[in-house]
Amino acid sequence: MKREARNSLIPLFLVSAGAVGFESALTRYFAVAKWSEYGYWVISIVMVGFALSGVVMALLRDPLARIGPTLRAILPALMTLAAAGGYYLTTQNPFNPLELQNPATWLPQLGNIALYYAWLLPFYFLTGLYISLTFVMNASQIGRVYGYDLLGAGAGAALALGLMFLVHPYYLVPILIALLALAAVFQSGEKRWLGILLALAAILVGESWLTFGNPPVVNQFKAVYAPSQTPGAQVLDTVRSPRGYYQLLDDFTERVDTDVSNNAGLMGLAGPPKTFGLYRDGNRISAIARPGDLDARYAPAAMSAAPWLMKPNARGLLIGASGGYRAAEALALGAAHVDVVEPEPVIRRAMIDGLDRASRLAPDERVSILNIGPVAAARTGRYDIIDIAPDFMDAGPANETAFAAETIAADLRALKEDGIVSIPISIRDFPVYALRMLATVREGLKQSGAADPSAHVVVYRSAWSVRILLSKSPWDPARLAALKTFCDQRSFDMSYYPGIDVVALRSSLYNDLPQVSFDSGEIVSQGPDDAIADEAAAVLRGEAVPSGSAFNLSPVTLDRPAFHAVLKLDHVDTLIRRIEILPQAEIGALVNLAVLAQAILIALLVLAVPLFAPRQVRPEKGTGRVWPVVYFPALGLGFLFIEIFLIEKASFFLNDRTSAFALVLTGMLIFSGLGSMIAGMLTRWPKLATVLAAVLVAAWCFAAWRFGQTLLMDSLDLPFATRALLVLLVAAPPSLALGLPFPMGLSRVGDSPALPWAWGLNGAFSVVATPLANLIAREAGFSWLLIGAAGLYLIAALALPALKRTARARNEDPVERMAA
């Protein structure tokens, strides 16, 4: 390619980098100031803007192409202003998710959601217009154009993630929009200097707006808001990273998050000490000890104490450190040695090195801190007790895998013959979470070889929390009697044990837990009851229970690791009617449904463009009229299905969702960009190249489905850097193949108005792909994403018309003329 042509694509590289960087910054803003579930709207807005720009470009292709050089010169300045203004107005939006769940206040919040689209859509429309215009003006170099687009996007993602280590999330946008203005500097043509002057003015106005305008604030519903507003509250330390924005907070409300009996005083035990609180993105993830206050004398009154009191001098594995308190509790209860798994790096750093004014865990030969995941840790030795911390699930998204059936089976295999696994479940929102965990426990016991899972399980609870104890050997009368005494002394209730009499149980409850109808909100029970005890035995036998009609009680697995996914989405009318009581962890699925419905509508509108403008939007002669309607949507869906599958599996493999997202997104974009570069050399054989790419993708999907889980489990003990390299190596082959079909399809569309329409189709169905993939994974499992992706790429390969080899066709086809 000539130097001038190559230089003309450098601005595209910078615009794509700035657009993806801006998207990453917006998702971080939503995570810090709102709830991360609402970041899905950002993805939706991005792709809506791209789809809309493709439609406009298709309908007005010739007029826009005539003024293309001028447009490309001034668009960087317009994008810079749109990004700065859109971000500023977004941060001032009074949207409150809690009011969205209140039937009396939800309507104004719909208006606030619409404002997000109003403020952010212009930027992504202008960005999409710039990219589609570049495609039109370089129609003979589709592969290279798409390659620069993807490589720029990959670079922007990497840059945004790197900046998260250095600056507060609120200040990412003021840095990243400089890439948009910089694109004008590398623009060629007569209008270059006009573009540079406009971009300079735009960056000055934009930066001034963001610097001197009202700063972003955390909304009042975030967990950090109330304690940070208490008199005398102090932020003692902060940590910035792509994983989140961390704050160590000192205020009078902070206490250790542990379930301690109300009878602690009668037992002569002091309550938990006052602590600092560690927050990530405004959500509390752990207690951190004050100097000299890592005191666990309260431990015998804690729910988690039972296994340790039953097995003196135990060797234990602690999954989650709770800021060091879990190790201190185990030692106070007589443990001989504990291995502590803490994958959250800031909590681990607080334990080992300490944070500002916070006490670290004192060096003790009885304590080993492991920097590995829960499954890998189960391979480090034989244990008497494996104990999961009550706050472990909330300390990181990847931690949900500790509650999967395969992980429980690995824990059981790591136990000594009479060892115990202790699993905490919060029932503060829904008691049904305990039943789902029992279904998961049953599956884990079966995988570990237990003939009768119900003989290995004991369940006891307080008013708000449940502990499930799994014994490698069946529970015997002596150990059950010891547990009964433990619970009676602390006013805990035993909800299940082998041979339990549920009717007799109701006469001696300490904590009433009545059955409540989810549909109506009415109490079903008559008199004192234990809703968990009513159904626990049947769940452990694998039988249907009444709660199964309203909730999903299927076992949590590594293929379907979303623990907080008990709502049945086919009962949408009930969910909307009861939305005010839904836990925050369940809201993401409803947000996905809303985004999916919107995305499908947008995709159908883009599909319908040829019906309203048949002459303006049509492929090149000789290629057919219908195939783009199948081809480009299939690519948009299939690419995202594979990307989301890789992110989720890498999250488990690395035990870190942020690192997984960064590696997969950056790696896939860069390797796909290289694949698109290769596509430019294969324009003589578009059908053959696309078929080969689809076959490679399908073969990779089959291999990942058949052998992927085994490879993951066998490689968990490798060092982190080695596992990260494996992620890139596994992602590289399909990513290279994924980079081929899209430019091949665009080249078959030819230099026609249908080219930007095809770009818009791909963008529109990418909007559909993200919420659809998340819902498929939630309801059916990640394996179905692989099956869907393979099928979609094979369908696309079949849909692409073959290149006619006649002389007439070669004369009509611009791709053939270029190749000749």
Side-chain angles (χ1 to χ4, degrees):
M1 185 172 59
K2 293 182 179 179
R3 181 177 178 181
E4 310 88 73
R6 183 172 62 249
N7 288 346
S8 71
L9 296 180
I10 292 177
L12 173 65
F13 178 95
L14 293 169
V15 167
S16 296
V20 171
F22 184 56
E23 180 182 356
S24 300
L26 286 171
T27 56
R28 290 298 302 131
Y29 164 77
F30 271 93
V32 173
K34 310 293 182 184
W35 273 320
S36 58
E37 289 86 348
Y38 296 93
Y40 288 120
W41 284 331
V42 176
I43 300 171
S44 173
I45 294 167
V46 172
M47 293 304 176
V48 170
F50 283 178
L52 182 61
S53 68
V55 170
V56 170
M57 192 68 200
L59 296 176
L60 303 174
R61 175 185 178 274
D62 291 339
L64 291 176
R66 281 195 293 270
I67 60 171
T70 302
L71 270 179
R72 279 168 53 86
I74 66 174
L75 277 173
L78 295 177
M79 287 185 285
T80 302
L81 284 176
Y87 176 67
Y88 177 78
L89 293 170
T90 293
T91 64
Q92 306 306 305
N93 191 327
F95 171 69
N96 189 331
L98 293 184
E99 291 186 10
L100 190 63
Q101 289 184 248
N102 188 328
T105 60
W106 67 272
L107 190 58
Q109 297 307 319
L110 294 183
N112 289 332
I113 294 171
L115 287 177
Y116 282 132
Y117 282 79
W119 305 148
L120 296 174
L121 194 59
F123 169 74
Y124 280 104
F125 171 77
L126 293 172
T127 303
L129 190 65
Y130 185 94
I131 295 172
S132 59
L133 184 64
T134 305
F135 275 116
V136 168
M137 297 179 68
N138 296 272
S140 62
Q141 304 172 45
I142 292 296
R144 290 187 180 276
V145 173
Y146 191 50
Y148 271 78
D149 180 28
L150 291 178
L151 290 172
L159 176 60
L161 288 165
L163 287 172
M164 290 176 196
F165 287 106
L166 304 174
V167 300
H168 190 285
Y170 292 166
Y171 305 128
L172 291 171
V173 169
I175 295 174
L176 291 167
I177 61 173
L179 293 172
L180 304 170
L182 188 61
V185 175
F186 293 92
Q187 198 70 52
S188 58
E190 296 179 358
K191 305 294 184 179
R192 177 171 178 263
W193 285 107
L194 172 63
I196 292 174
L197 291 174
L198 290 174
L200 180 61
I203 195 68
L204 290 174
V205 171
E207 297 292 358
S208 299
W209 199 351
L210 296 176
T211 301
F212 300 109
N214 293 327
V217 294
V218 173
N219 207 310
Q220 61 186 5
F221 60 78
K222 296 288 282 191
V224 75
Y225 182 83
S228 66
Q229 301 302 310
T230 59
Q234 300 179 66
V235 177
L236 303 176
D237 201 357
T238 60
V239 178
R240 293 182 289 268
S241 84
R243 294 179 74 102
Y245 176 64
Y246 297 82
Q247 296 170 288
L248 183 67
L249 191 65
D250 176 22
D251 78 280
F252 70 87
T253 68
E254 299 295 352
R255 292 286 174 174
V256 175
D257 288 335
T258 188
D259 296 302
V260 176
S261 168
N262 292 331
N263 298 353
L266 297 176
M267 298 171 65
L269 299 172
K274 185 178 177 182
T275 71
F276 297 141
L278 182 64
Y279 291 78
R280 183 184 62 231
D281 291 345
N283 300 310
R284 193 173 192 274
I285 61 171
S286 182
I288 300 294
R290 291 167 171 268
D293 275 352
L294 195 57
D295 182 355
R297 284 177 291 178
Y298 62 88
M303 281 192 73
S304 56
W308 304 96
L309 293 175
M310 294 172 65
K311 298 183 71 64
N313 300 311
R315 175 179 172 81
L317 174 64
L318 300 174
I319 309 298
S322 297
Y325 278 98
R326 298 294 290 142
E329 290 170 14
L331 296 179
L333 293 169
H337 185 90
V338 289
D339 291 336
V340 184
V341 173
E342 184 47 78
E344 167 51 65
V346 178
I347 298 177
R348 191 169 62 249
R349 169 181 157 187
M351 293 167 53
I352 298 173
D353 301 321
L355 295 172
D356 186 25
R357 286 189 256 174
S359 179
R360 65 188 181 94
L361 190 63
D364 192 317
E365 62 182 11
R366 296 173 296 171
V367 179
S368 301
I369 300 175
L370 309 179
N371 186 13
I372 53 179
V375 180
R379 303 180 180 191
T380 59
R382 301 282 284 176
Y383 295 101
D384 298 296
I385 298 170
I386 298 179
D387 189 348
I388 303 177
D391 56 3
F392 183 70
M393 186 181 294
D394 296 329
N399 291 355
E400 283 186 325
T401 56
F403 297 82
E406 296 91 336
T407 309
I408 291 170
D411 290 342
L412 288 163
R413 287 191 286 267
L415 289 177
K416 296 178 182 177
E417 191 54 38
D418 59 346
I420 298 172
V421 177
S422 180
I423 305 171
I425 297 296
S426 172
I427 56 173
R428 189 175 296 271
D429 292 316
F430 282 158
V432 76
Y433 288 131
L435 297 179
R436 190 174 196 210
M437 194 67 237
L438 287 176
T440 305
V441 159
R442 179 178 184 273
E443 180 63 26
L445 283 161
K446 288 170 60 181
Q447 290 183 18
S448 69
D452 179 12
S454 63
H456 298 257
V457 181
V458 168
V459 181
Y460 62 96
R461 67 174 181 84
S462 65
W464 306 111
S465 302
V466 166
R467 273 278 166 175
I468 301 174
L469 301 186
L470 311 181
S471 175
K472 189 164 186 176
S473 57
W475 289 99
D476 56 66
R479 291 197 296 167
L480 290 176
L483 277 171
K484 177 66 174 170
T485 300
F486 171 86
C487 290
D488 284 339
Q489 291 174 345
R490 295 158 180 80
S491 298
F492 298 146
D493 293 297
M494 294 190 73
S495 295
Y496 175 81
Y497 55 86
I500 188 173
D501 184 341
V502 177
V503 175
L505 169 76
R506 294 192 182 100
S507 64
S508 58
L509 286 173
Y510 298 107
N511 306 281
D512 187 24
L513 185 65
Q515 290 275 6
V516 179
S517 168
F518 178 70
D519 185 63
S520 65
E522 297 177 353
I523 295 177
V524 177
S525 308
Q526 299 295 324
D529 198 3
D530 187 329
I532 297 171
D534 291 342
E535 299 179 321
V539 171
L540 287 169
R541 291 193 298 267
E543 299 172 0
V545 294
S547 292
S549 62
F551 298 101
N552 170 27
L553 300 183
S554 61
V556 179
T557 67
L558 293 179
D559 195 48
R560 283 192 297 178
F563 181 83
H564 295 103
V566 298
L567 299 180
K568 289 192 171 183
L569 299 182
D570 55 345
H571 299 170
V572 175
D573 55 338
T574 302
L575 298 181
I576 293 174
R577 189 171 64 253
R578 303 287 289 150
I579 193 170
E580 73 277 4
I581 69 163
L582 298 185
Q584 179 57 35
E586 299 279 359
I587 290 294
L590 289 182
V591 176
N592 263 310
L593 274 179
V595 173
L596 178 62
Q598 167 197 277
I600 290 174
L601 177 61
I602 293 167
L604 292 175
L605 290 174
V606 176
L607 276 173
V609 168
L611 297 178
F612 300 103
R615 294 184 178 181
Q616 290 93 332
V617 181
R618 65 175 65 181
E620 275 291 312
K621 294 180 180 180
T623 65
R625 297 291 190 266
V626 178
W627 70 269
V629 174
V630 176
Y631 187 83
F632 293 103
L635 298 184
L637 291 168
F639 190 102
L640 267 295
F641 280 12
I642 291 176
E643 181 179 292
I644 290 172
F645 172 84
L646 279 170
I647 288 172
E648 292 299 328
K649 290 303 176 182
S651 297
F652 164 69
F653 189 47
L654 302 176
N655 207 48
D656 176 5
R657 184 177 295 274
T658 302
S659 296
F661 181 84
L663 279 172
V664 171
L665 180 63
T666 305
M668 284 192 70
L669 289 171
I670 289 175
F671 284 118
S672 296
L674 295 176
S676 297
M677 296 290 192
I678 295 171
M681 299 182 289
L682 301 174
T683 51
R684 285 179 176 270
W685 311 279
K687 179 74 171 183
L688 176 61
T690 302
V691 169
L692 289 176
V695 169
L696 178 59
V697 169
W700 182 89
C701 289
F702 174 79
W705 170 75
R706 180 67 179 82
F707 307 109
Q709 194 62 44
T710 301
L711 175 64
L712 289 181
M713 299 296 281
D714 290 345
S715 307
L716 288 172
D717 296 330
L718 295 174
F720 181 87
T722 305
R723 284 179 284 141
L725 180 60
L726 277 175
V727 169
L728 289 176
L729 290 176
V730 169
S735 299
L736 282 168
L738 292 173
L740 286 170
F742 186 67
M744 288 298 175
L746 290 182
S747 70
R748 290 301 291 127
V749 168
D751 186 14
S752 74
L755 192 150
W757 174 61
W759 157 261
L761 272 178
N762 185 263
F765 278 87
S766 295
V767 182
V768 175
T770 300
L772 180 60
N774 281 300
L775 290 170
I776 290 173
R778 180 188 190 273
E779 298 297 308
F782 288 104
S783 296
W784 283 96
L785 291 183
L786 291 176
I787 295 170
L792 286 163
Y793 270 87
L794 291 173
I795 289 171
L798 294 174
L800 185 69
L803 190 63
K804 295 184 179 181
R805 309 307 300 171
T806 64
R808 180 181 177 183
R810 285 194 299 271
N811 289 333
E812 290 179 344
D813 196 311
V815 177
E816 286 290 273
R817 290 198 305 269
M818 180 188 71

